[in-house]
């Protein structure tokens, strides 16, 4: 991901896409959810991304997607083991999609505290998608936010959207 103002690399976003030849990762994760195997697939993707990150400069920031349910359903010791094994001195951001955050964020906050102790930071994606994303933004206090595409699509022609984004920016600053 590059800074659009000066072209510098900001971070590397590593994505789980499934086995070679998998053309529909969304379908793969959907099927895993239906079979009760989402957390297992998600954790394997996390480990694969961290393993591949050895080819990226250790000083670079990396960002990896994870379903909030995986974070909630997985014992903290497993995350500790994964990040100790693969994380090292990396600058790791775990990205949670606001569209998938449901219910009371208190349990999620507890899990994020464990990750914070491991020096893993939080990124939220799809901020601006519904009320839940703003609740997550306020309660989870992420280090990075990525706005939902619908929040910025057509923004150059919409003064109301520009106001919303300005307010969002002032809220996170």
């Amino acid at each position: 991901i590059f800074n659009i103002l000066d072209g510098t690399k900001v971070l590397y976003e590593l994505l789980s896409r499934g086995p070679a030849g998998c053309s529909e990762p969304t379908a793969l994760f959907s099927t895993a959810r239906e079979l009760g195997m989402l957390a297992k697939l998600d954790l394997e993707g996390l480990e694969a991304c961290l393993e591949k990150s050895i080819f990226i400069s250790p000083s670079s920031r990396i960002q990896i997607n994870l379903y909030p349910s995986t974070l909630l359903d997985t014992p903290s010791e497993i995350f500790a083991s994964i990040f100790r094994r693969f994380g090292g001195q990396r600058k790791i951001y775990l990205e949670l999609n606001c569209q998938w955050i449901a219910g009371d964020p208190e349990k999620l906050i507890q899990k994020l505290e464990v990750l914070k102790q491991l020096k893993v930071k939080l990124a939220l994606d799809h901020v601006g998608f519904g009320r839940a994303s703003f609740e997550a933004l306020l309660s989870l206090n992420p280090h990075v936010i990525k706005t939902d595409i619908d929040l910025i699509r057509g923004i150059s022609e919409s003064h109301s959207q520009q106001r919303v984004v300005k307010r969002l920016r002032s809220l996170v600053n």
Side-chain angles (χ1 to χ4, degrees):
I1 295 178
F2 295 90
N3 181 323
I4 60 171
L5 297 177
D6 62 13
T8 58
K9 284 182 194 163
V10 177
L11 64 91
Y12 291 87
E13 185 169 6
L14 307 176
L15 302 169
S16 301
R17 293 296 185 222
C22 178
S23 62
E24 280 298 322
T26 305
L28 177 67
F29 282 95
S30 179
T31 301
R33 180 180 297 104
E34 290 170 14
L35 296 173
M37 299 181 68
L38 179 61
K40 181 175 177 26
L41 179 64
D42 213 10
L43 288 171
E44 287 184 18
L46 173 65
E47 288 187 53
C49 286
L50 285 168
E51 202 171 284
K52 297 289 184 190
S53 75
I54 63 168
F55 299 107
I56 299 171
S57 168
S59 62
S60 297
R61 289 175 29 191
I62 61 171
Q63 192 160 298
I64 303 170
N65 292 281
L66 195 78
Y67 282 90
S69 60
T70 300
L71 191 56
L72 289 171
D73 296 343
T74 305
S76 299
E77 302 79 40
I78 291 177
F79 285 106
S81 172
I82 291 170
F83 285 113
R84 284 192 189 110
R85 197 165 10 131
F86 295 110
Q89 298 302 311
R90 296 209 154 277
K91 299 172 189 164
I92 300 171
Y93 291 74
L94 203 57
E95 180 179 312
L96 303 180
N97 185 326
C98 285
Q99 295 172 327
W100 292 100
I101 295 175
D104 181 9
E106 189 56 39
K107 289 181 182 176
L108 202 51
I109 292 169
Q110 292 170 7
K111 291 286 188 158
L112 290 169
E113 283 301 316
V114 172
L115 294 178
K116 195 183 294 183
Q117 292 171 8
L118 297 166
K119 305 217 184 317
V120 176
K121 298 186 177 187
L122 175 65
L124 285 181
D125 194 7
H126 293 282
V127 171
F129 180 87
R131 194 178 105 203
S133 73
F134 289 109
E135 290 171 356
L137 178 64
L138 294 172
S139 61
L140 301 179
N141 196 23
H143 297 89
V144 172
I145 65 164
K146 293 169 62 180
T147 56
D148 189 76
I149 191 71
D150 288 336
L151 189 62
I152 58 169
R153 183 179 287 130
I155 195 168
S156 62
E157 294 89 32
S158 172
H159 294 294
S160 64
Q161 280 178 274
Q162 291 170 18
R163 280 192 305 275
V164 169
V165 171
K166 282 179 185 175
R167 289 177 183 151
L168 176 61
R169 186 174 177 199
S170 68
L171 177 67
V172 297
N173 285 338

